[in-house]
Each structure stands twice: as C-alpha cells, then as structure tokens.
C-alpha cells in the first residue's frame, strides 16, 4: 500500500437507461484540413447522462450565481490525455476524450535530429482520411511519420499527408490535397502530463498564448516526488467528480484499505465554499483545502491550507498534495489521472516500484466502483431533473458535492459538451469482473511488472517439476538415497509449487480482477 493511501479521498445492474436529449445545438464549422466525412465539432452540448444539481444548498455552501447568458464552454478547455511516462514514443496511443477519438504520437522529426530522440507529442483525429481506419493501430515509421497500417498512408506532425503508396510516383500529387490531411489538435506537455485542446480549426493553433492547462507548481518542484496513475472507470464524469469531493465515504466504502474504523467511525466534516463561479470553486476545510478548476482538475491537501502549502513549497515544509484529473470519456465512462506530489518520504520512491503503488490505488478504486456504477443508473431512473428531491444531503460534509451539482446545473444545464455526436443512453451494465477489470488501464511499469511476475511464476513451476524429475532419475544415486536428503528436496519442490500457486492468485488480484464484498470488510 502506498504512503499516500491514508490521505486518498478517491472514489461500484439493470438495462441501459435512455436519457432525455436536449434540442440539437448549432455545430461549429469544420476546418479546411478535415475530410468530407470528418466529424464536425459541436459548439454546445448534445446529450446528458448526469443528474440535476441541487436547487438549494446549506447556508455555508453558496451556489454559483451566473448571469443568464453565462455558460461553460466545454470546447474551450484543455483536457489531459495521460502522464507522458505512460506513453511509449515508439508507438501511437488511442484515447477517447469528451466523446472524441484521438491518437497521441511522438514526432521525432520536429527537431531535425530524429536519431537524438528529440521531438514533440502530437494529437490527431484517430481516423485516416482514406477509409477512416484508426491511426492508433498504426505505427511510427523509420522516417518519423505516423503511418496508417491499413494502406500505408503517412502523415507528418502537422497532419499533412506525405506519402500515398498507391499513388503513381510520376502522377498528380494527390497526397497534397486537403482531403488527404488529418485533423491536428493543439497539445502541450505540462506537469509531465500530455494535454490537448479539442478544436482543430486553424484559428485555434495558437491557443496556448491565450490559455494554458491548470498548473500545479509542486509537481515540477525538484524537492518533490510525484506518483502518477491512470484508470478508466465504468461510470460518468459527474459521478467521478462527486465521489472525489466526498470525504465522508472514506471510512465506509474503503474500510480496511486505508484506515480502520468501526461502523460508526465517521463524524462531522466542516467545510466552507469560497470563490464559486463558472471556473470552479474552493473548499476550505478544518485541516486542509481543495480546489475545483473546471472541468477536469481537482486538487489540494487534506493536511494544510493553501497558504501553508505555498509556504511549504518555499521553505520545504512537509507537504503532500492530491491532484485528480477527471476526464469525460463518453456517457457512463470516465477516466481518472492522478498525481500525488510530496516532499516527505522521498527516499521511498528509490526502493518501491511504481507498480506497487498502483496496486493499492486500484484496490481503493475497485472497492466502490460497483456502488458508483449503480448510483449513476439510480440518478437517471429518478429523473435528470430531480437530483435535489431524490438525494437528501443535510450535512456540511456534502457541501462540495452540492456546490459541484449547482455548478453543473447553472453553467452546464446538467450536460457535458461532447465534442462529437454520442448516443443518448448509458451503456449496458457489464458483468462484475468486466466492471472491475483493470488490465487495460495499466501503466508501462505495471505491464513490465506483470511480465516479470508471469516469468517468475513459470520459473517456479518448471523448477518444481524439474526437482521431481531429478529425484525420479536419481533413484539409484547414493547422493540422494538418504531419506533426509530426499525429504529436503521434495520439500523444496513443494515449496516452489506452492509459491507459484500463490503468485498466480496474487497476479490475478493485483493486475486483473479482485472482487470486493464491502459487508465482509
């Protein structure tokens, strides 16, 4: 279990539920680099999967008070893709963000020295303009171009087509046609995380000069170490944000994983909401603070105020930060990227591998994933306009949740501004092992550890069989005829086999699936 877990405030069937569809909004015009079949980006929202925010809140949880015209623009925001340590620069990586299928890849040619390994990350539409095959299934070729593996079309870092194998060398330059280009999005690496801006029109190419992603200075402070992680989840964006803002659930939903409490281990939690507006809000608590920077970033410290955290950065006082990036993927799906910078226990990162931290963090996420999955469907069944009536939230520990629901209602009309048309219903509930399966969210460190543990598992099994075979072959050998020696060798064989079986069970629980029955915790 990682040292951050005691501080973690993280975030478990019935058929698909239809949702009410808002009137179709006007769509943004397409850029010149788009193909005839390119998806056009929506300037406002199309569907919703979220419950309505509370109409009222306790006195110490003020609601945002926008003008009637003020509206949150989901497409004028930066969205995280993944920590760069989990992105292999030798291959493209497909992701879905805000309903938009994108591919991130590393352009080595931007520096002019591909052999030096210098370059920049690029983010494109995940569709080849030829036949719309996914570019994320392609490769980065030996010239540093993104190549579609369906027919070999190659693209440079600007999205321009550089080569069409099927076009005659002396024929017309069809690869220079604007229809052969792929849409490219502004992107930037900040805090060691790759972000992108979901507009590909030329007028947004310099958006970084106007607006940047939220910045966490502690992550880049050399006196801090940061543990990163990513997990795809089978519940929506608003449920994920709401769960992270709920410290009261920790003693119960994560019982036995973080801190041991009896069934009455909870208590009142005082929090005061400040600076609530279209850009988010701040929650000042008894021993800490948290900030919500709309739409993705939720960060703070459960142990010290914002001023103390800034002072700690200057004077190297012990500081632990929790940074959560909540990404809307599609209806009923979200992605959590976390970063935990700290300047205490720095030495632990030198001896504890990254994948071992992730085991504990995944266990925490798994322990309430089924609760949240069903909760989201209950929200929809109760009616998208009835969150306040359906949910009874009388205590101050719910202040952040109420303020978020008010923000979501007043500035977003309970809707996520998807960047592409999306079916207006939640996906069918998968089986519990599929719901809690974590393999596809593993980082590079976890995958390397899994490969090594699998090899160790096989080695232990082979060793136990080899020892038994050796005993059988050496039946007449006086060296092993001693009863004591034979018993020792047999014991070693049994120990190796038992260790391999234990390792099999450990690998299944740590890297694939572990069921949680909270009533038994």
């Amino acid at each position: 279990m990682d040292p951050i877990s005691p501080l973690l405030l993280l975030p478990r069937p019935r058929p698909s539920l239809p949702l009410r569809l808002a009137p179709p909004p006007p769509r943004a015009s397409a850029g010149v680099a788009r193909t005839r079949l390119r998806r056009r980006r929506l300037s406002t929202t199309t569907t919703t999967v979220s419950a309505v925010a509370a109409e009222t809140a306790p006195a110490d949880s003020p609601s945002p008070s926008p003008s009637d015209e003020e509206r949150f623009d989901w497409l004028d925001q930066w969205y995280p893709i993944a920590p760069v340590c989990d992105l292999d620069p030798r291959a493209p990586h497909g992701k879905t963000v805000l309903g938009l299928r994108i591919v991130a890849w590393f352009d080595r040619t931007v520096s002019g020295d591909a052999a030096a390994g210098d370059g920049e990350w690029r983010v494109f539409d995940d569709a080849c303009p030829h036949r719309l095959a996914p570019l994320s299934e392609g490769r980065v070729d030996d010239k540093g171009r993104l190549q579609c593996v369906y027919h070999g079309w190659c693209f440079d870092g600007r999205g321009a087509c550089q080569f069409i194998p099927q076009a005659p060398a002396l024929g017309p330059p069809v690869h220079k046609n604007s229809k052969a280009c792929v849409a490219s999005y502004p992107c930037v690496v900040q805090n060691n995380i790759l972000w992108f801006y979901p507009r590909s029109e030329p007028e947004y190419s310099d958006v970084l000069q106007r607006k940047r992603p939220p910045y966490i200075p502690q992550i880049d402070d050399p006196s801090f170490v940061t543990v990163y992680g990513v997990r795809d989840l089978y519940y929506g964006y608003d449920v994920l944000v709401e769960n992270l803002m709920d410290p009261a659930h920790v003693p119960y939903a994560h019982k036995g994983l973080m801190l041991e409490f009896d069934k009455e281990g909870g208590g009142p939690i005082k929090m005061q909401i400040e600076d609530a507006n279209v850009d988010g809000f701040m929650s000042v608590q008894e021993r800490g603070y948290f900030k919500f920077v709309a739409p993705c970033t939720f960060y703070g410290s459960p142990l010290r105020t914002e001023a103390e955290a800034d002072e700690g950065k200057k004077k190297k006082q012990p500081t632990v930060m929790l940074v959560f990036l909540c990404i809307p993927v599609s209806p009923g799906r979200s992605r959590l990227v976390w970063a935990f910078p700290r300047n205490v226990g720095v030495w632990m990162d030198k001896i504890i591998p990254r994948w071992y931290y992730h085991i504990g963090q995944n266990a925490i996420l798994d322990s309430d994933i089924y609760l949240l999955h069903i909760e989201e469907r209950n929200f929809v069944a109760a009616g998208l306009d009835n969150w306040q009536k359906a949910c009874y939230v009388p205590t101050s520990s719910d202040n952040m949740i109420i303020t978020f629901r008010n923000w979501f209602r007043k500035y977003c009309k309970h809707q996520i501004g998807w960047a592409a048309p999306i079916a207006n219903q939640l996906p069918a509930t998968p089986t519990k092992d599929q719901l809690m399966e974590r393999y596809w969210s593993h980082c590079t460190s976890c995958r390397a550890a899994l490969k090594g543990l699998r090899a160790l598992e096989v080695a232990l099994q082979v060793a136990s069989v080899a020892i038994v075979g050796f005993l059988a072959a050496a039946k007449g050998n006086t060296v092993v005829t001693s009863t004591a020696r034979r018993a020792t060798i047999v014991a070693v064989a049994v120990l190796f086999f038992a260790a391999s079986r234990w390792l099999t069970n450990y690998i299944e629980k740590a890297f694939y699936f572990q069921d949680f029955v909270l009533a038994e915790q």
Side-chain angles (χ1 to χ4, degrees):
M1 197 65 181
D2 66 90
I4 305 301
S5 292
L7 304 174
L8 204 57
L9 304 180
L10 277 173
R12 235 175 153 211
R14 145 188 220 148
S16 297
L17 299 171
L19 307 175
R20 252 174 272 180
L21 188 63
R27 296 183 177 181
S29 59
V32 295
R34 297 173 184 263
T35 67
R36 289 176 297 174
L37 299 179
R38 182 76 59 235
R39 295 185 301 272
R40 302 166 70 183
R41 315 297 172 236
L42 304 182
S43 60
T44 54
T45 60
T46 57
T47 61
T48 177
V49 297
S50 308
V52 162
E55 296 292 339
T56 60
D60 55 349
S61 178
S63 301
S65 54
S67 65
D68 292 339
E69 295 78 19
E70 195 169 16
R71 190 77 179 268
F72 185 76
D73 187 353
W74 288 84
L75 296 187
D76 187 28
Q77 312 296 332
W78 287 90
Y79 291 89
I81 295 176
V84 291
C85 59
D86 291 331
L87 297 174
D88 186 348
R90 299 169 298 178
H93 303 268
K95 298 286 185 182
T96 299
V97 178
L98 210 65
L100 187 68
R101 292 176 58 87
I102 57 173
V103 56
W105 66 286
F106 192 71
D107 180 10
R108 304 192 310 271
T109 66
V110 70
S111 67
D113 186 5
D118 298 327
E120 292 182 3
W121 285 97
R122 308 292 189 186
V123 178
F124 288 177
D125 259 344
D126 192 12
C128 178
H130 177 214
R131 299 265 289 281
L132 305 186
L135 291 171
S136 57
E137 295 297 317
R139 63 175 67 93
V140 179
D141 70 6
D142 55 2
K143 295 182 179 180
R145 305 171 299 188
L146 179 61
Q147 183 184 71
C148 176
V149 292
Y150 195 18
H151 293 92
W153 288 34
C154 296
F155 305 91
D156 66 13
R158 298 172 295 114
C161 185
Q162 296 294 299
F163 179 57
I164 299 178
Q166 296 77 24
L170 300 179
V174 293
H175 69 280
K176 294 184 178 181
N177 192 298
S178 63
K179 294 179 180 179
C181 298
V182 60
S184 177
Y185 298 96
C187 62
V188 65
V189 174
Q190 181 171 283
N191 286 148
N192 302 314
I193 295 170
L194 178 62
W195 299 72
F196 92 108
Y197 185 85
R199 300 296 293 267
S200 63
E201 293 86 352
E203 59 265 33
Y204 296 102
S205 60
D206 61 349
V207 66
L208 266 174
Q209 299 178 17
R210 173 178 64 85
K211 185 174 189 174
R212 295 188 68 90
Y215 179 67
I216 311 297
Q218 287 83 358
I219 293 179
D220 289 341
D221 190 322
S223 66
F224 282 68
V225 295
T226 302
V227 176
Y228 296 92
V230 183
R231 180 73 183 272
D232 281 33
L233 301 163
Y234 277 94
Y235 47 83
Y237 156 86
D238 57 311
V239 176
L240 171 60
V241 175
E242 179 183 291
N243 181 247
L244 291 170
M245 293 181 177
D246 176 23
H249 81 284
V250 173
Y252 303 100
H254 306 314
K255 186 175 186 295
L257 293 174
M258 295 171 63
L259 297 173
E260 280 292 344
F261 292 100
D262 60 23
K263 69 177 183 177
E264 301 299 335
I269 301 175
K270 294 181 180 180
M271 58 180 70
Q272 181 179 349
I273 305 300
E274 299 178 353
D275 303 325
N277 55 53
V278 68
D279 296 318
F281 56 86
M282 179 172 176
S283 171
V284 178
Q285 303 177 13
E286 291 179 281
R287 292 182 56 81
Y289 77 99
F290 281 93
K291 273 189 175 181
F292 171 59
V293 182
C296 296
T297 307
F298 181 62
Y299 73 96
S301 172
L303 300 179
R304 57 179 63 246
T305 66
E306 183 181 26
E308 288 173 335
D310 291 340
E311 188 70 15
K313 182 170 69 73
K314 297 175 183 177
K315 295 186 177 181
K316 310 306 178 188
Q317 295 178 0
T319 302
V320 175
M321 296 284 293
L322 306 180
V323 181
F324 303 109
L325 304 177
C326 308
I327 305 162
V329 174
S330 61
R333 296 295 299 272
S334 61
R335 182 176 303 115
L336 176 64
V337 175
W338 64 85
F340 300 149
R342 71 184 193 277
N343 62 2
V344 293
V346 174
W347 60 270
M348 298 179 68
D349 273 26
K350 298 179 180 179
I351 60 175
I352 300 177
R354 183 176 174 227
W355 63 268
Y356 192 75
Y357 287 113
H358 289 179
I359 291 174
Q361 290 150 5
N362 277 321
I364 292 171
L365 287 169
D366 282 343
S367 62
D368 62 5
I369 192 171
Y370 185 73
L371 298 174
L372 300 175
H373 181 82
I374 299 302
E375 178 185 75
E376 180 174 35
R377 279 146 177 78
N378 289 341
F379 283 162
V380 175
L384 298 181
D385 300 326
N386 292 315
W387 189 89
Q388 180 204 11
K389 295 178 181 178
C391 298
Y392 182 50
V393 283
T395 68
S396 63
S397 63
D398 292 314
N399 280 356
M400 274 197 290
I401 296 171
I402 295 168
T403 307
F404 169 72
R405 286 294 176 181
N406 280 333
W407 173 87
F408 201 46
R409 170 176 58 86
K410 292 192 174 186
Y411 297 115
C412 307
K413 305 301 181 186
H414 335 299
Q415 301 179 15
I416 293 172
W418 302 111
I422 290 179
N424 61 324
Q425 67 176 26
L426 296 175
T429 295
T431 61
K432 202 170 184 182
D433 57 339
Q434 292 173 325
L435 184 66
M436 301 173 67
E437 191 274 334
R438 63 184 71 152
Y439 175 79
W440 297 107
S441 291
H442 282 319
C443 68
T444 52
S445 176
C446 291
R447 293 183 184 276
L450 176 60
K451 185 177 180 181
L453 291 174
R454 283 292 189 200
L456 178 59
E457 175 191 13
V458 172
L460 289 170
Q461 293 173 353
V462 170
S464 64
V465 172
I467 290 172
V468 172
F470 169 75
L471 281 177
K475 193 171 183 180
N477 192 320
T478 57
V479 176
V480 294
T481 52
S482 166
T483 302
R485 289 175 180 171
R486 293 179 64 86
T488 300
I489 295 174
V490 168
V492 171
V494 171
L495 181 62
F496 280 7
F497 181 76
S500 73
R501 300 312 301 160
W502 177 88
L503 193 56
T504 299
N505 184 60
Y506 177 79
I507 289 172
E508 175 66 20
K509 289 184 176 181
F511 294 93
Y512 291 95
F513 165 75
Q514 181 176 2
D515 193 9
F516 279 88
V517 181
L518 292 173
E520 298 177 357
Q521 297 299 316

